[in-house]
Amino acid sequence: KIDFTSMARTAFSGCRLLLALVQPITNLHATHALSLGSFLNVGKCTYGRPPCATCGRTPCTSHLAVMRASGEEGSTTGPRPEEWREFRQRLISQGLPLTTFADGDGEEAAEKAGAGRELEDRKSVAPANEQLLAQQNAKLFEEYLNGVWAHPSPLEAGGLACRLPLQAQLTEQMRQLTRNDDEEFYVSRQDAWAVRLRKMLLRELPTSAEANSGGNGTTKLERTWTENTAYCFRLADRLLIECLEGVAARARDGRIDARSLKPHESELIELYQKAQHEWQQVVLVLSTDGNKAEGVALNRPLSRGVDKQLAQLLLSGELPPDEAVAASNDFMDAFGREGAVYVGGPAQQREGGLLVHGFGQLEGAIEVSPGTRLYRGGALAAIRAVNLGELSPLDFRWFVGKQTGISTAEAEWSAVACARSLALKQCLGLPKPLWHEVLELCGGDLAVWSQIELLKRTDIE
């Protein structure tokens, strides 16, 4: 069983394993056993490389990726990181096509099929957002239109972290408890909210199913109900409301004595406050350390336009104080009227600004993670490019502060890999919030969470 979602993190060993599985079935040369043309660069070979020594074909970039991974083209010329990101995305969204290449048209047919499927599968989850992007940034709109994607992934630099609603968080914790049959946790933490939610679910099962469950064992019916995302969300919502209303009933003159709260009630209030504070945040992950990450919130706009004081604060993230002051006038010429500034998070807000963009040619720009084509830094070069009319102010996103301590371990956050156009586009007056756009592009449970949350709102058509 191959974990395709994380295959890009073990690219070479994962590819060798795929080849080992496919080769015996197809009895073909390894470099042509997989129709990777429909995953990477669809089209005929244009690289003019020497023909394959085994089968005589001229390899395209798709085949070169497999050749490099299998060691046929040398260990120092492996596939580029962006190729593996694209491969992973197509593998998750389209599956793994196998072709026999019995004749010369086999590969071309597979590539055409892959290209047609990609166009057919493209879904527009936020048409009004697309129209706004077309007005703000024509080039990025074209990139978005031709290749936007998002899917769940490991927590990784260059990806996104989306804050889940508290109801979704408790649901995922309950599912983890049910799937793992964690009896020790179930017995020792009877007051844990995941356990409480599971007990509530068991009470709603038919009596015979509840009796057959016993202890921490799970019935087939329980597992079926647990996987019903909409039902579990509403069940968790009822559980939270019951507890919060019980706490509110003990208030005197609008105040609650914290000493009167039971441990599980204190825990819930803390979870609730944190979920409200981070409500529907979409964070661009800049770095990871073990199972923790930090980044900047993409959907917390601070201002459209910059004054001189804010300009100096933003520049101080890259420049010494005296240089930041000296460059502030040029900054105002470039971004004073149209600069887009966001609150990246509550941490490190006094440590200056951070610039994020998609232009690796700018002096001082550093790629967030290889293959993402997302860059940070290069403030002075960005100022020069805007003042010379080479780039637009809305090609750049400025951030103050960071979001730290991001983790998926407790299901507070869901990690997502995405096309860079989704991370680079501005979040200024979006008709449909970015959080909903990202989750619906991912599909599955994430799209269900989004749809349920949308039903609660009256300000979005």
Side-chain angles (χ1 to χ4, degrees):
K1 184 177 181 181
I2 303 171
D3 182 3
F4 291 122
T5 303
S6 61
M7 194 171 72
R9 304 184 71 173
T10 56
F12 292 98
S13 60
C15 189
R16 289 196 184 99
L17 180 54
L18 278 172
L19 292 172
L21 291 173
V22 174
Q23 232 180 326
I25 299 172
T26 60
N27 195 28
L28 293 173
H29 181 222
T31 57
H32 295 122
L34 299 180
S35 177
L36 293 182
S38 64
F39 284 101
L40 299 172
N41 297 314
V42 176
K44 293 198 174 185
C45 299
T46 57
Y47 277 64
R49 295 294 186 95
C52 173
T54 303
C55 62
R57 294 180 182 270
T58 301
C60 64
T61 53
S62 303
H63 301 126
L64 286 173
V66 182
M67 291 172 67
R68 290 165 180 167
S70 60
E72 295 186 40
E73 201 178 280
S75 59
T76 60
T77 57
R80 296 186 301 272
E82 58 268 27
E83 290 179 332
W84 282 113
R85 283 174 56 83
E86 185 73 5
F87 176 84
R88 180 178 65 174
Q89 181 268 323
R90 291 178 185 265
L91 188 62
I92 291 172
S93 64
Q94 298 179 7
L96 183 66
L98 303 178
T99 60
T100 60
F101 301 149
D103 53 53
D105 295 331
E107 180 179 355
E108 183 177 355
E111 290 175 345
K112 287 182 178 179
R117 185 167 60 249
E118 180 179 358
L119 293 175
E120 182 180 342
D121 290 346
R122 184 191 178 274
K123 56 182 178 180
S124 177
V125 299
N129 287 11
E130 294 177 6
Q131 295 176 9
L132 180 60
L133 178 59
Q135 299 170 12
Q136 294 176 340
N137 193 321
K139 289 185 178 179
L140 194 61
F141 168 70
E142 182 178 357
E143 183 178 331
Y144 181 99
L145 202 63
N146 292 331
V148 68
W149 54 268
H151 63 75
S153 76
L155 194 60
E156 58 190 15
L160 304 179
C162 301
R163 185 55 158 96
L164 294 181
L166 183 54
Q167 297 90 332
Q169 179 183 347
L170 297 184
T171 296
E172 292 298 333
Q173 290 179 356
M174 178 186 67
R175 286 174 171 174
Q176 188 72 16
L177 178 67
T178 303
R179 291 168 186 159
N180 294 343
D181 282 342
D182 193 346
E183 185 173 359
E184 181 179 349
F185 180 86
Y186 186 81
V187 172
S188 63
R189 290 291 311 277
Q190 290 293 306
D191 62 337
W193 285 100
V195 174
R196 288 175 173 272
L197 183 59
R198 185 185 178 219
K199 288 180 177 179
M200 191 174 187
L201 182 144
L202 289 174
R203 288 196 296 270
E204 298 203 355
L205 290 177
T207 306
S208 58
E210 183 178 1
N212 291 334
S213 175
N216 192 45
T218 57
T219 65
K220 183 177 179 180
L221 183 60
E222 179 191 348
R223 291 183 182 275
T224 301
W225 284 36
T226 301
E227 295 304 318
N228 185 325
T229 300
Y231 164 74
C232 287
F233 187 99
R234 291 180 173 84
L235 189 70
D237 203 32
R238 274 172 33 211
L239 178 64
L240 296 176
I241 290 174
E242 288 176 9
C243 182
L244 292 174
E245 286 181 346
V247 171
R250 301 203 298 269
R252 295 291 182 269
D253 299 325
R255 295 178 177 273
I256 298 174
D257 186 353
R259 294 171 297 182
S260 68
L261 297 177
K262 299 176 181 178
H264 71 277
E265 293 173 332
S266 298
E267 180 187 9
L268 176 60
I269 291 175
E270 183 179 347
L271 290 171
Y272 183 82
Q273 290 177 335
K274 188 176 182 182
Q276 289 296 103
H277 181 71
E278 298 169 345
W279 182 75
Q280 292 189 1
Q281 277 194 9
V282 179
V283 174
L284 172 63
V285 178
L286 299 175
S287 64
T288 60
D289 183 10
N291 62 350
K292 299 283 187 179
E294 68 174 32
V296 288
L298 297 176
N299 56 340
R300 293 292 189 267
L302 175 63
S303 70
R304 175 81 177 269
V306 182
D307 60 24
K308 200 161 187 177
Q309 184 178 3
L310 181 55
Q312 292 177 11
L313 174 63
L314 293 173
L315 288 169
S316 66
E318 287 190 40
L319 305 175
D322 55 339
E323 295 183 24
V325 172
S328 60
N329 288 331
D330 290 338
F331 184 101
M332 292 296 296
D333 292 337
F335 295 100
R337 297 181 61 184
E338 292 291 322
V341 186
Y342 298 81
V343 179
Q348 306 174 24
Q349 291 189 353
R350 296 189 179 185
E351 296 184 12
L354 175 73
L355 178 62
V356 173
H357 55 86
F359 306 102
Q361 73 273 21
L362 296 182
E363 182 181 357
I366 301 173
E367 195 169 18
V368 172
S369 182
T372 60
R373 295 187 297 135
L374 295 168
Y375 302 89
R376 55 187 294 180
L380 293 180
I383 292 170
R384 286 194 297 269
V386 173
N387 283 333
L388 290 173
E390 298 172 353
L391 296 173
S392 163
L394 292 183
D395 286 330
F396 300 90
R397 304 186 68 169
W398 295 91
F399 297 89
V400 176
K402 290 182 180 179
Q403 184 72 39
T404 59
I406 299 170
S407 173
T408 58
E410 298 295 327
E412 292 178 340
W413 299 85
S414 179
V416 171
C418 71
R420 72 167 194 158
S421 56
L422 198 58
L424 289 175
K425 72 191 193 84
Q426 301 289 346
C427 293
L428 301 170
L430 288 179
K432 188 172 192 175
L434 180 66
W435 186 84
H436 291 283
E437 185 176 354
V438 173
L439 267 61
E440 289 176 26
L441 281 171
C442 289
D445 283 345
L446 294 179
V448 177
W449 303 137
S450 171
Q451 291 298 322
I452 294 174
E453 288 290 290
L454 275 176
L455 293 175
K456 299 179 180 180
R457 302 185 62 164
T458 59
D459 57 327
I460 300 175
E461 295 183 1

